[in-house]
Amino acid sequence: MMVRLFGNQKTTNKPFGSAAENGVGKFNDINDTALQELKKLGVSHVWYTGVLEHATMADYSKLGIALDDADVVKGRAGSPYAVKDYYDVDPDLAADPKNRMKEFEALVQRTHKNGLKLLIDFIPNHVARSYKSDAKPAGVVDLGEKDDKTKAFTVNNNFYYLPGKSLVVPKGNDPLGAAIKGPKEDGKYTETPAKATGNDVFSEAPKIDDWFETTKLNYGVDYQNGRKTYFEPVPDTWLKMRDILVYWAKKDVDGFRCDVAEMVPVEFWAWVIPEVKKVKPNIIFLAEAYNPKEYRKYIEQGKFDFLYDKVGLYDGLRRLMRGEGKTEDITKVWSEESRGFSSHMLRFLENHDEQRIASKDFAGDPLRAIPAMTVSATLGSGPVMIYFGQEVGEPGRGAEGFSGEDGRTTIFDYWGVPEHQKWLNGGKFDGGKLSLQQKQLRDFYSRLLNLCSSHEALRRGRFYELQDANNLAKEYNDKDLYAYLRYTENKRVLVVVNFSATKTYVPTLKVPPTAWKLMGLDPLRTQFNYTDVLNGRAVSSTSRVTLPPLSAVVLEINPL
């Protein structure tokens, strides 16, 4: 969830609106009732997005927090991925900004009390250009405080510099629209020498599409000289980032979602993750990763627990949901990941970076998620994630401000999330304002997530695809049906999904003798008991499974 948006009850939604106009969610909004409802939905972990203090146009100078320059801020609320102080939390999220850390610590305790665990973001690759920690513990030397700014690169500098050059803010940045000027918005932001920009741009004049509001951190890689590495002795940035991670681990967070983890050398992760696990052994490290060729390296060498499965299952399912793909895209994913790291992949259909399923830019209909979400949740034994509002079909409509009309829910602006607010229902968290279809959709998500957390075959079972055995590509439309088995020594399920938005199928599904034997069942027996454990109904046989448009079944198989 985006904490800034989750508990916000205001419905004004004025483009480029202030926090006072459009409202802002607080740590305290995520109360016991909200957490219990998430637990009932089938959630085990909550990723609280946007917790760390980041650059913003909000004025907290009375708290001793320097006012940011709008020339290098994206959006009125600011990007949560332009961190301004690694040792502090966003004052926007506190009912009493002076006590913001205490309110966050209370949320951690409240989350645990309600039987849930929590992750926060760790943004290791870049920070806001205005980075300066005013909350760092005694004795901590700030990032860049002792850098030699006369040198473009030296191993113990925390930043990369462009000596003799000053930053040129890209033209066209208009964070509050034409009608309003943000603080110091005059195109005269001063940075001399200029620092390298977060997305590996070593120029004093980053472009408007670059991450120009951020600066790249130096992990001992000399990018301008053949990417030569200097990892021994351990670079200063490594030590500082370890201390930051340990600081939050000691506040009892249960994991970190590590932003653009592949932009930081894998050697750093191989060193730092074991260091943090010395403090909290079961803490989770989740990598935002997009290069399938590097997945094994970041799991085995880098020691990550889980990686994003975006360039793989998400992309394949997105095509299917839009009527553009084939089920063989799923086959490709499991066949590649079955080589040992499928259980380390985090599956999802939405997150803060991606377009909403119900948006016209994605699928246009939240019901198209039913077959795809079933596959996401049951294809492997790794974790599955949903983004707040997904379960009620939030479409991400509106030009919120800096974010624009892009099918996403803004991360840059103050905003109310309308369909989610119907579930919020004035702080009751009871879905009282949802439509019947929205209630049915949320019920589907609840049944699916709870099934995945409780059913042995889905939690840790092996996988067997049935596409070839059924010749589905010829007998049926290869854009529509996908079928597979998940099984342990005790439990067996058959999963079948229909991606068609118009066709009902009654497929005659064949399970080959080899599969029966792998499941510990006699292939010569013909009588089995089938129960659709997803939809709560008995099915007489696999030859009489009716699959309406945009539907899924999970059939538990038991001998009579």
Side-chain angles (χ1 to χ4, degrees):
M1 68 170 69
M2 190 81 184
V3 178
R4 183 199 296 156
L5 304 178
F6 180 83
N8 182 25
Q9 297 181 35
K10 278 205 171 186
T11 58
T12 310
N13 283 0
K14 174 186 174 182
F16 296 103
S18 66
E21 291 169 322
N22 283 352
V24 57
K26 308 292 184 182
F27 294 131
N28 290 352
D29 292 329
I30 308 165
N31 59 26
D32 289 322
T33 303
L35 292 166
Q36 278 301 306
E37 290 303 315
L38 293 179
K39 189 170 177 63
K40 290 176 189 174
L41 182 64
V43 170
S44 60
H45 294 66
V46 185
W47 162 19
Y48 292 123
T49 306
V51 165
L52 299 183
E53 183 188 322
H54 56 267
T56 178
M57 291 191 214
D59 185 354
Y60 287 104
S61 55
K62 290 182 180 179
L63 298 179
I65 298 173
L67 184 65
D68 287 303
D69 190 316
D71 288 336
V72 286
V73 178
K74 290 182 177 178
R76 184 165 222 150
S79 168
Y81 294 95
V83 172
K84 185 176 175 177
D85 188 343
Y86 279 121
Y87 286 102
D88 208 349
V89 297
D90 181 7
D92 265 348
L93 305 181
D96 178 3
K98 288 182 181 178
N99 290 315
R100 56 194 179 276
M101 187 60 79
K102 288 183 179 178
E103 290 188 25
F104 172 72
E105 292 167 347
L107 174 61
V108 173
Q109 293 175 6
R110 193 160 59 247
T111 303
H112 290 154
K113 184 183 74 173
N114 282 283
L116 297 165
K117 294 187 177 183
L118 71 138
L119 284 76
I120 63 169
D121 288 286
F122 174 57
I123 299 92
N125 174 68
H126 51 269
V127 295
R129 291 203 178 268
S130 59
Y131 187 91
K132 180 176 175 57
S133 177
D134 49 46
K136 63 185 187 295
V140 170
V141 177
D142 216 359
L143 286 167
E145 189 176 327
K146 295 188 175 181
D147 280 8
D148 182 350
K149 297 179 182 180
T150 66
K151 295 181 179 178
F153 169 86
T154 183
V155 65
N156 284 321
N157 272 359
N158 299 133
F159 297 108
Y160 297 96
Y161 296 93
L162 301 167
K165 298 179 179 180
S166 296
L167 179 73
V168 180
V169 176
K171 293 180 180 179
N173 181 39
D174 194 10
L176 284 179
I180 312 170
K181 290 295 181 185
K184 310 179 190 177
E185 187 181 347
D186 54 12
K188 297 179 181 179
Y189 178 78
T190 302
E191 183 181 280
T192 304
K195 301 187 188 90
T197 293
N199 58 323
D200 297 356
V201 173
F202 287 77
S203 166
E204 75 278 14
K207 296 181 173 62
I208 192 68
D209 293 331
D210 289 322
W211 305 348
F212 65 85
E213 81 282 18
T214 69
T215 56
K216 174 85 174 177
L217 284 166
N218 171 14
Y219 283 81
V221 181
D222 190 352
Y223 285 84
Q224 294 180 290
N225 287 290
R227 293 180 178 247
K228 190 173 180 181
T229 59
Y230 300 85
F231 298 153
E232 294 182 7
V234 170
D236 184 73
T237 301
W238 289 28
L239 297 169
K240 283 184 165 66
M241 301 313 262
R242 176 200 60 190
D243 292 346
I244 289 161
L245 287 164
V246 168
Y247 173 83
W248 292 102
K250 287 183 176 179
K251 288 193 178 293
D252 213 16
V253 304
D254 300 293
F256 300 99
R257 177 267 188 188
C258 300
D259 189 64
V260 291
E262 294 164 307
M263 295 182 76
V264 172
V266 70
E267 291 85 355
F268 165 71
W269 299 114
W271 175 80
V272 81
I273 291 176
E275 287 283 299
V276 180
K277 290 195 175 189
K278 289 177 185 175
V279 176
K280 189 168 185 177
N282 295 323
I283 203 161
I284 291 168
F285 280 82
L286 161 66
E288 181 192 16
Y290 297 112
N291 184 358
K293 293 179 181 178
E294 298 290 309
Y295 285 173
R296 186 177 295 279
K297 181 192 293 186
Y298 276 78
I299 293 166
E300 295 181 355
Q301 181 183 346
K303 310 294 185 186
F304 273 101
D305 298 290
F306 304 108
L307 312 180
Y308 268 35
D309 196 353
K310 197 276 181 189
V311 183
L313 192 60
Y314 170 88
D315 284 347
L317 290 174
R318 180 184 169 99
R319 289 191 292 270
L320 280 160
M321 293 165 74
R322 290 170 56 86
E324 299 167 352
K326 296 183 178 181
T327 54
E328 64 188 37
D329 290 345
I330 307 173
T331 301
K332 182 179 179 182
V333 169
W334 75 254
S335 62
E336 289 179 353
E337 293 180 1
S338 64
R339 292 174 295 182
F341 55 85
S342 178
S343 63
H344 293 278
M345 304 307 294
L346 171 81
R347 273 63 188 258
F348 57 85
L349 296 179
E350 285 190 359
N351 63 42
H352 69 276
D353 285 320
E354 309 302 339
Q355 292 169 329
R356 293 289 196 171
I357 295 161
S359 74
K360 58 182 175 54
D361 304 274
F362 189 164
D365 179 358
L367 298 181
R368 285 185 177 269
I370 290 174
M373 192 66 206
T374 303
V375 172
S376 273
T378 66
L379 192 72
S381 58
V384 64
M385 176 173 72
I386 65 171
Y387 191 40
F388 84 107
Q390 176 183 340
E391 72 279 14
V392 296
E394 172 58 44
R397 288 194 200 97
E400 302 100 335
F402 184 84
S403 188
E405 181 82 56
D406 60 2
R408 296 173 176 84
T409 295
T410 180
I411 67 168
F412 303 103
D413 308 284
Y414 299 111
W415 201 249
V417 185
E419 303 309 311
H420 166 71
Q421 287 175 326
K422 293 178 181 178
W423 173 75
L424 193 67
N425 192 20
K428 295 178 183 176
F429 302 100
D430 62 0
K433 295 181 180 178
L434 296 175
S435 68
L436 177 60
Q437 185 188 74
Q438 286 177 310
K439 290 178 180 177
Q440 291 171 338
L441 181 65
R442 195 173 190 278
D443 178 64
F444 157 74
Y445 276 93
S446 180
R447 285 184 279 111
L448 178 65
L449 296 178
N450 279 288
L451 179 65
C452 289
S453 67
S454 62
H455 201 287
E456 178 181 307
L458 298 176
R459 281 192 66 84
R460 61 179 184 86
R462 297 178 64 188
F463 175 89
Y464 190 101
E465 192 185 68
L466 294 174
Q467 297 299 90
D468 286 345
N470 287 277
N471 198 21
L472 292 177
K474 294 180 181 178
E475 188 173 344
Y476 306 117
N477 188 328
D478 62 354
K479 294 181 179 180
D480 292 348
L481 293 184
Y482 190 68
Y484 51 95
L485 300 163
R486 295 286 310 282
Y487 61 94
T488 65
E489 61 276 13
N490 299 315
K491 295 288 184 179
R492 311 146 196 92
V493 294
L494 165 64
V495 182
V496 195
V497 300
N498 179 12
F499 287 98
S500 172
T502 58
K503 295 178 182 177
T504 295
Y505 287 103
V506 187
T508 303
L509 288 165
K510 301 184 181 79
V511 178
T514 301
W516 288 117
K517 290 179 181 177
L518 287 170
M519 292 190 294
L521 299 174
D522 184 350
L524 299 178
R525 293 188 63 171
T526 58
Q527 296 298 313
F528 294 94
N529 179 34
Y530 299 93
T531 303
D532 183 354
V533 289
L534 176 60
N535 300 298
R537 59 180 180 176
V539 177
S540 56
S541 75
T542 56
S543 63
R544 293 192 181 93
V545 180
T546 301
L547 284 162
L550 302 176
S551 68
V553 296
V554 180
L555 304 181
E556 187 173 84
I557 307 169
N558 289 302
L560 288 174

